[in-house]
Amino acid sequence: MFMKNENIDINYLLSRRLIDLEGHEFVALTRYAFAQNDSPGCRIEGTRQAIGVNALANALSCSPSQIACMRRDGALDDAIISHIGRRIVFDIEKALIAANSWKSER
């Protein structure tokens, strides 16, 4: 793939409107954004993660409706790591502990 000048000033790109960027500038800005998100501070190493309610339900071997009940009751609040759009990223180990305590209280 043909790329124009690889040495593009990111601060210059960040100051421009997205619609005014050329293709190679958009690609450079996108690569910069993904490189920032892959930094070690964005992920907690050594944790198993589930992205979304359905993935957590599969990991805990229960139904998505049970996960929704636990979320509504606030039992899974400590297991939430972050959000990706509208999807919630859960720490599976913390969610398992919270689910066991929630089930024992019911």
Side-chain angles (χ1 to χ4, degrees):
M1 183 167 112
F2 177 73
M3 291 289 294
K4 289 188 178 179
N5 187 3
E6 289 288 334
N7 299 324
I8 298 174
D9 183 21
I10 295 298
N11 292 326
Y12 169 72
L13 295 179
L14 292 172
S15 68
R16 294 183 62 195
R17 295 184 320 168
L18 191 60
I19 198 166
D20 293 335
L21 294 177
E22 294 181 11
H24 70 280
E25 293 173 333
F26 178 75
V27 169
L29 189 61
T30 305
R31 286 182 181 165
Y32 172 76
F34 281 121
Q36 295 301 315
N37 287 336
D38 288 339
S39 65
C42 292
R43 290 195 175 169
I44 301 171
E45 296 299 324
T47 61
R48 289 181 42 218
Q49 300 173 356
I51 300 174
V53 172
N54 290 332
L56 183 63
N58 287 339
L60 299 183
S61 299
C62 64
S63 67
S65 62
Q66 283 183 324
I67 300 294
C69 289
M70 286 187 263
R71 283 265 304 128
R72 186 178 55 238
D73 293 344
L76 293 177
D77 289 344
D78 292 338
I80 295 175
I81 296 174
S82 67
H83 290 79
I84 299 176
R86 292 183 58 177
R87 290 187 167 200
I88 303 169
V89 180
F90 294 98
D91 181 351
I92 294 176
E93 284 81 18
K94 288 182 181 180
L96 182 61
I97 293 168
N100 287 336
S101 66
W102 179 79
K103 287 180 182 178
S104 66
E105 290 174 1
R106 294 186 104 208

